Amino acid sequence: MIGRDVLSILTGDPLSPAIRAYQLGRLAEARALIEAQGRDAGMTGTVEFYLRQIARRLSPLPPGRPVVLWREGARAVGNAGWIGDVLRGIAAAECAESELAEPSRLIVIDHLLSPEKQLWYREAYLAGHDIMLVHAGNDAMDEDCGAYRWCRHVFRTHWSPLLVGSAQVHFLPRGVPDGFAHPGDAKPAGARRYLWGFAGDPDRPTRPAMLAAMASLSLAIRHLTPEQDALPAGAYRAMLDDCVVAPCPSGAAALDTARVYEALEAGCIPIVERREGFDYFREALGRHPMLTVADWADAPRLIAELRKSGKLETKRAQCHGWWRHYKGNMAARVTALAMG
């Protein structure tokens, strides 16, 4: 709703005085102005939204810790275990939609959002539930985000430049598959058999260029197969445990893929892509130590410089340490927003 608020003020929309009062915290004044607008022009979706927002702000949050609700196949997404780990210790229990009764704090995990699904969120909001949504998936950026307006906070597993200005929307890395994370320290560079490794379908947009560029670097392991013949998670983790560097080319559409976080989890040095005017991982994760290339032809030079300076292990340890620190801060932030 941020874009709508600004547009109202700039264009002299009849709601602009009410929205200005709302932004300044004069909630009783804003409610009276919006109610008058509703009587004069009808109860539009925007009028209804702001009236409900004001009512929610003037009412206490539902008591108790949040409960977790997994919706419509969300457990089938590859990072369900990762999401569950992030939420562990925050939620009191899990529940089914049929068990929702009294207004409560909800953490809803959902994917494949659509205009039809928005109706459920609206009804839950109007019933008094306080919703924090974890929107899993949507790497093609093609899902309907209308449900966001009915949620106090939203965590997306794919960062979007269109939503970066919203205090309501946050980024949650997509993480690793179930069973992939291992406790303890990762092996140092000197104990790893391969300089670099890659497993996956070579028939993706930038993977041929990556493979051609990296071919000049020896001590490599490659497992190039169609997606249906991919390595099991345990075998892939074992492969990464023996690689210092893990090139992470884009997926079919998005720059962000699970292999980035798998590489970090295994203590490798990921090499990620950026596009002209679009440094996705810097925008999504902030300052990070991963290697970034706009052209895969630059990757061998970056690795050669690390080897020549004797800093290959320093960079590897830096990436792994940064990721562990990031995960700790992320869990603390999710907890604070869920319980706030």
Side-chain angles (χ1 to χ4, degrees):
M1 296 301 296
I2 287 179
R4 177 69 174 81
D5 297 348
V6 175
L7 182 62
S8 297
I9 294 169
L10 294 178
T11 60
D13 187 292
L15 275 177
S16 58
I19 292 174
R20 187 177 296 111
Y22 174 77
Q23 293 182 108
L24 293 172
R26 301 198 297 264
L27 300 185
E29 176 188 343
R31 179 168 57 188
L33 290 169
I34 293 171
E35 287 174 343
Q37 177 68 14
R39 288 192 298 269
D40 293 342
M43 191 64 67
T44 66
T46 301
V47 168
E48 179 188 43
F49 174 78
Y50 279 110
L51 286 177
R52 293 293 178 181
Q53 286 290 90
I54 292 170
R56 183 62 59 88
R57 287 183 176 276
L58 293 174
S59 302
L61 287 170
R65 294 169 63 194
V67 294
V68 172
L69 172 62
W70 293 80
R71 296 202 69 220
E72 300 180 30
R75 288 188 188 275
V77 299
N79 56 353
W82 158 265
I83 293 172
D85 287 343
V86 172
L87 300 179
R88 188 168 292 119
I90 301 173
E94 293 187 8
C95 70
E97 292 181 31
S98 59
E99 297 171 343
L100 296 179
E102 297 297 320
S104 58
R105 298 189 186 199
L106 292 179
I107 300 176
V108 180
I109 301 95
D110 207 349
H111 73 143
L112 301 178
L113 296 185
S114 64
E116 293 74 25
K117 278 194 173 184
Q118 183 182 162
L119 297 176
W120 183 90
Y121 287 91
R122 178 181 180 276
E123 290 173 2
Y125 178 91
L126 296 181
H129 297 291
D130 181 75
I131 304 170
M132 187 177 86
L133 170 64
V134 179
H135 182 185
N138 196 27
D139 56 343
M141 303 294 181
D142 58 357
E143 294 182 22
D144 181 90
C145 297
Y148 287 12
R149 68 185 298 174
W150 307 110
C151 305
R152 182 160 57 93
H153 293 292
V154 177
F155 282 87
R156 291 171 52 93
T157 56
H158 285 83
W159 180 87
S160 165
L162 296 181
L163 298 170
V164 70
S166 173
Q168 172 200 21
V169 181
H170 317 273
F171 174 67
L172 178 71
R174 61 187 298 164
V176 297
D178 296 355
F180 193 90
H182 293 175
D185 293 328
K187 290 195 296 187
R192 297 180 180 231
R193 296 170 60 193
Y194 304 105
L195 176 61
W196 70 277
F198 177 82
D201 188 344
D203 190 21
R204 292 291 174 88
T206 61
R207 294 183 186 182
M210 179 275 292
L211 291 167
M214 297 294 290
S216 64
L217 299 173
S218 59
L219 295 174
I221 180 171
R222 291 173 287 260
H223 184 82
L224 306 179
T225 60
E227 187 172 347
Q228 62 268 25
D229 297 324
L231 285 177
Y236 183 53
R237 172 63 199 252
M239 188 197 87
L240 288 180
D241 284 339
D242 258 337
C243 297
V244 181
V245 175
C248 301
S250 68
L255 293 176
D256 199 358
T257 67
R259 69 177 63 249
V260 175
Y261 309 103
E262 291 163 349
L264 288 166
E265 196 69 34
C268 302
I269 303 171
I271 308 179
V272 297
E273 294 181 22
R274 67 174 181 270
R275 292 173 178 151
E276 185 177 1
F278 190 65
D279 192 343
Y280 176 92
F281 292 98
R282 175 66 181 272
E283 297 279 9
L285 299 170
R287 290 185 177 274
H288 62 77
M290 297 184 291
L291 299 180
T292 305
V293 296
D295 185 335
W296 278 104
D298 295 333
R301 174 183 56 80
L302 296 177
I303 297 170
E305 289 173 356
L306 288 173
R307 298 178 80 180
K308 184 177 180 179
S309 64
K311 294 182 178 179
L312 200 62
E313 167 58 16
T314 301
K315 172 61 76 173
R316 189 212 61 77
Q318 184 185 23
C319 288
H320 195 222
W322 171 85
W323 175 236
R324 296 175 74 170
H325 183 72
Y326 185 95
K327 288 193 297 181
N329 285 345
M330 177 187 65
R333 185 183 183 201
V334 174
T335 300
L337 290 172
M339 300 301 296

